[in-house]
Amino acid sequence: MNGKTILLDPVLPTEAETIAIKLLDKMLSIKIENGDSETLKVKLVEVGGEEIALPESLYQLLCQAAHLMAADKAVSLVPIEQDMTVEETMTGKLPMEK
């Protein structure tokens, strides 16, 4: 991760940020409801103008985080061990220790 420390502390937006997050949540919700794959393409644009498409998995995480933060909820990322099965990940059940 480029030598950067990843913080897993919950993040709660400020009042000013909440306004922007509510707008973002509304925009993302409209795109999801539309269902048009072309509208689901989101990209990040750097100050210099360079663009990068947001991968679908990160887009889904952004939608979830924006929705929760728009509802004034703190959000935190929880890394999941990759040796979990898809079913374990979806149900939130951790595998039994060996």
Side-chain angles (χ1 to χ4, degrees):
M1 189 79 185
N2 298 336
K4 294 182 180 178
T5 302
I6 298 174
L7 300 176
L8 301 177
D9 296 333
V11 176
L12 184 63
T14 64
E15 246 181 80
E17 290 172 330
T18 300
I19 294 168
I21 290 170
K22 285 182 179 183
L23 178 59
L24 176 62
D25 180 46
K26 185 176 181 178
M27 291 172 66
L28 292 171
S29 295
I30 290 170
K31 289 178 181 288
I32 290 171
E33 289 170 9
N34 187 339
D36 183 356
S37 62
E38 284 301 309
T39 65
L40 293 177
K41 293 183 179 173
V42 175
K43 60 185 172 184
L44 298 175
V45 181
E46 292 184 15
V47 175
E50 187 174 338
E51 299 177 358
I52 183 168
L54 201 63
E56 178 64 24
S57 56
L58 195 51
Y59 172 77
Q60 292 299 324
L61 187 61
L62 174 64
C63 289
Q64 292 173 34
H67 186 71
L68 291 168
M69 293 175 93
D72 296 323
K73 297 184 190 259
V75 174
S76 179
L77 296 176
V78 179
I80 305 293
E81 296 296 324
Q82 290 192 0
D83 58 353
M84 291 178 68
T85 65
V86 171
E87 182 180 336
E88 290 167 340
T89 303
M90 292 179 67
T91 63
K93 294 180 181 175
L94 298 176
M96 305 256 316
E97 287 190 34
K98 296 179 181 178

